[in-house]
Structures are given as C-alpha cells and as structure tokens.
Amino acid sequence: MSSNPNSTLAKNTDYHLNIHVEKEACPLRLAPTSSTTVTLVMGDAIAVSLMMLKNFKDTSFAKFHPGGSLGRRLLTTVDSIMIQDNLPVCDKGESIKNVVHKITNGKCGLVIVVDKSGMVGVITDGDIRRFMETHEEHFFKLSTADLMTKTPITIRFDEKITTAGDMMTSAEIGALIVVDENEAVVGIIQSHQIQNV
C-alpha cells in the first residue's frame, strides 16, 4: 500500500494498492492525518477479508493470543472460576423464611432446591421480591414448590465462560447452575465472575 503507484516499491511488488489522498486533514498540510486513516481502513479491510477466507474463528484467536485478556476469556472454562464450596441449598419442604436466609447468606442471589433425587428447582432473590409483591398477605405460608423454577438453566462444567456469558445475556439472568456429565450440581457461576476474567 502506498500513495505513489510509480514508486520503486510499487513497481517491484506483485500487487499494489493505491491509497493516495488529495490532501491531509492537517490545516498546515504537514502531519499525516487523512493518509494514516486511509492506511488503517485498508489494513482492517484486508485483515477482515483474510479472516473470512481462512475461516478464522474465536478459537483460532485464543490459540494464537493465549496470553491476552481476550485469549484468556476464550480459553477459560466454567469449572475454573465457578463457586464450588458452601453452595446455597435448601430442602424442597423448607420454610420460605429459611429460604430467604439461605439466599442472603449464600451471596449468590439464589438457592438450589433439592430432594432425594437431586436438584428439583431454583429460587432466586428476584423470585422472592416478585412473590412478596403479589402474595404479600400470605407470602410466608407459601412453600418452596410455589416459588421455585422447576427447570432452571444449567451449563456443563467444561463449557467455555463465553458460552456461559452468552446464555446469561440471552436469558437475562445473573447466574447459572453448573452441572457435571451426570447432570449433578457441582457449582454456580455468576456474570460478574466472567466480567472479571
């Protein structure tokens, strides 16, 4: 790329892109301004075109740039940052008062509802607020089964955190239940954890 197709450099290349500009934006016509912008635009156009031609994907970027923040985000899996210890769990038959305490103490914004078979639902702090507004008079008489989401969104422990982030954004939620290959709960991942990677 150059502004002079008749230069020695241009004449001795297989392909020359003429990026000549009529005048620079600099009022003194001294500093390269328009010409640097044209060079940047043309360089970006070539780079993007090559990415498409070579089928360059986010995993390719992570492979060649593993040390940068984007590389770390693309390579990091859910199990490396998820919360694993002292998960907020309650029994299906527990009182709503206990559920509220466990959500507060768990600091994950939710509680996992379980029975003998494993996880049967999730109650979030948002569920608590909504039910308090709509069932104010008899809120504490409700059961966990009345409040819980029976089919919570889960993610495998070995998925990339970028996938977890996309899932949370799409569902407009702040956390996901992490499961293993047998669908057993092994952790919780929150959106702010992904943002901090």
Side-chain angles (χ1 to χ4, degrees):
M1 293 185 288
S2 76
S3 61
N4 183 3
N6 296 313
S7 67
T8 302
L9 177 64
K11 289 179 178 179
N12 285 278
T13 56
D14 293 327
Y15 303 99
H16 176 255
L17 294 175
N18 187 349
I19 55 171
H20 174 73
V21 295
E22 290 298 321
K23 67 176 184 178
E24 300 290 352
C26 171
L28 302 176
R29 296 188 181 180
L30 296 173
T33 46
S34 300
S35 56
T36 54
T37 302
V38 170
T39 304
L40 178 65
V41 170
M42 187 62 75
D44 283 349
I46 292 170
V48 171
S49 298
L50 285 171
M51 287 176 71
M52 295 174 70
L53 286 170
K54 297 290 185 180
N55 197 28
F56 196 85
K57 299 186 181 299
D58 54 359
T59 50
S60 306
F61 201 107
K63 178 181 177 182
F64 293 108
H65 297 271
S69 59
L70 179 57
R72 282 196 305 275
R73 185 177 290 260
L74 293 170
L75 292 172
T76 303
T77 53
V78 168
D79 60 338
S80 64
I81 65 169
M82 69 182 184
I83 299 165
Q84 309 179 63
D85 301 322
N86 303 315
L87 296 177
V89 175
C90 76
D91 186 78
K92 190 177 179 180
E94 266 186 76
S95 70
I96 295 302
K97 186 175 181 179
N98 283 347
V99 169
V100 172
H101 284 306
K102 287 189 175 183
I103 290 177
T104 303
N105 295 334
K107 298 178 181 178
C108 291
L110 58 81
V111 64
I112 302 165
V113 184
V114 298
D115 66 10
K116 292 179 181 179
S117 65
M119 179 176 67
V120 292
V122 166
I123 300 174
T124 68
D125 52 5
D127 294 329
I128 297 292
R129 287 194 301 271
R130 283 188 291 274
F131 272 85
M132 285 186 76
E133 291 173 1
T134 57
H135 301 78
E136 185 176 353
E137 293 181 3
H138 59 283
F139 175 73
F140 285 103
K141 294 179 182 178
L142 297 172
S143 69
T144 54
D146 295 323
L147 273 71
M148 71 181 186
T149 299
K150 295 180 181 178
T151 55
I153 301 172
T154 62
I155 187 167
R156 279 268 304 239
F157 70 98
D158 52 358
E159 287 281 2
K160 299 288 191 294
I161 62 169
T162 49
T163 302
D166 291 342
M167 289 172 66
M168 283 187 255
T169 300
S170 176
E172 297 182 344
I173 55 177
L176 290 172
I177 306 300
V178 184
V179 296
D180 63 15
E181 60 274 7
N182 299 314
E183 296 299 313
V185 175
V186 293
I188 296 171
I189 184 168
Q190 297 175 292
S191 57
H192 72 82
Q193 294 175 283
I194 297 172
Q195 293 165 5
N196 292 333
V197 174

